[in-house]
Amino acid sequence: MQIPFFEHTIKSLHSLISDERASLSSVAGMIRHDPGLYLNLIQGLCLASGKCEAKTALQAISLLGAQGVERQIIQHDILLNEEHMQLWCYSVLAGELAVLINNKAGIEDEEVVYFSASLPIIGMLIMLIEKLPYKKVYELLLMLPIEDRVFVEQKLFQTSHIELLTKNFSAAAVYMDLINFINAVISAEGSKRPVIEEPGKLSLAYETFQLFYLMDTAGAGARAVLFPSVVEAQEKFRELCKRYFLIAESEVEELLAEALERLNAVSKLYNVEEAAMYCTASAEEIKQTAMQFLTKSPELNAGLERIRAAVCEEKNVLICGERGTGKRLLAAALYYQGDNPRRLNPYVTFHCDTSEDLLERDLFGSRSGYHNLQKHKGALEFANGGTILLKDIDRMPEHLLDRIIEIYSSGKFFKSGDKAPQKLDIRFILTSKYDLTEIASEGSSLRRLLDCLSPEAIRIPPLRERRQDIEFIADSIISKYRLNLNEEALRLGLQEYYEKEAFPGNLKDLKKLLFYIAAKHRLKS
């Protein structure tokens, strides 16, 4: 089948090919900015030779020649104009972020990681051809991670961009292995299965494993740039960069900023900088909701009043609750409350569920030359004078918990390799999906940390235990993402979902349900 190309990339590429002085590498460099053309060239070679060996555009055009590329362009008649600019911007951002991460992690050839990050977009391009009404909803679905996108697509179209990608894709083994891995992790119904065991670094599956998480991470980063108010995407990008590629949290903002700069440079190359700037600027107009954590539950309200008072008194806080109950939101709301004496001082979030070596360097910092490390400013130093949120504190190794106890007790901390201590004045917010006051065994480092910090603790119940809150939480999601679900008939229908759905993933499940209803409404309108 024919996969759409982007009109502006084809126009510029045609001009370049017509220039006899143009090198094959410069042509290949432009081809990667059009995922449909990239796949078309590689699949064309597969059909012509019966072998799928070319995995880069440079390899493909070395075999086809510039004139062969031009023939494919001329024969192709499905072109997307600037109305689809957001889809193109997403593809470029994901590709550039994959390259930037690859520069640090050294996974594969630059072209391979760029194209790997573009695979979900190719699936969406196929959906545009196979399911014509898809054009009404794809911009909405770009805000969602792959698994939630699949969930909505399956309900609306009885297929998904991943399923159609799998059916219509033939290319080099590196890409076929990646697509098989995507299908192994993301179910046809749109749930994400956990990878039980990471393959060994010397195994054949390790590169596929890394490419999958590179694709997933780059997608989260693209959403973070295009939709700045989607805080979950920024948090997910930060978490995945750290967990799978050992990139310090302090470096994440630089990656996002550089990716945006690269998008601006690429858009100038194709004379679409104004349209691309409109995509990023209009995304920033998405309404920011107030940083508040509200409830109608008298019991939860009493707990909130207690920890708000604790923050005013500069006490530490422990927030427990299942995944997706709003622990991050509550932590931010506590920091931003008007009577927090540290509100104008730094606020740093820190993910504890990652490799031990990176945890130590990223939290405490390091001096230059220590164990061949570069000088690195740790999260504690960034947060000094303010507040640090330690997410999933139960995942932190015991010896690092002991070090936090020592630091908090003495009011001083050492960077790794430093001999001179620095003063520390910091307040801690700890989160965990477990009730740490119950599971922290006597004598354990976690129990000693809780005894040392004496945090004011609160448990956030799951949505199924506070259904009275679901409607106004849903209203804030509808407003934030401009889902246009305000008609009376729609709201009555939503009430039934609020009363009956189990929401095992809590806010994540509520959000994808609302996106499904919004997309369904768009198709009918």
Side-chain angles (χ1 to χ4, degrees), residues 37 135 220 228 264 364:
L37 174 59
K135 65 182 180 182
N264 292 336
F364 302 105

Side-chain angles (χ1 to χ4, degrees), residues 316-359:
N316 302 307
V317 171
L318 169 63
I319 306 171
C320 301
E322 295 178 7
R323 292 209 180 277
T325 49
K327 298 186 293 294
R328 177 196 54 78
L329 173 62
L330 176 54
L334 291 173
Y335 169 73
Y336 285 109
Q337 70 183 41
D339 51 1
N340 175 15
R342 294 176 182 255
R343 186 170 64 88
L344 300 179
N345 295 344
Y347 176 66
V348 175
T349 63
F350 187 84
H351 296 270
C352 300
D353 187 12
T354 188
S355 81
E356 190 172 317
D357 290 343
L358 181 62
L359 266 179

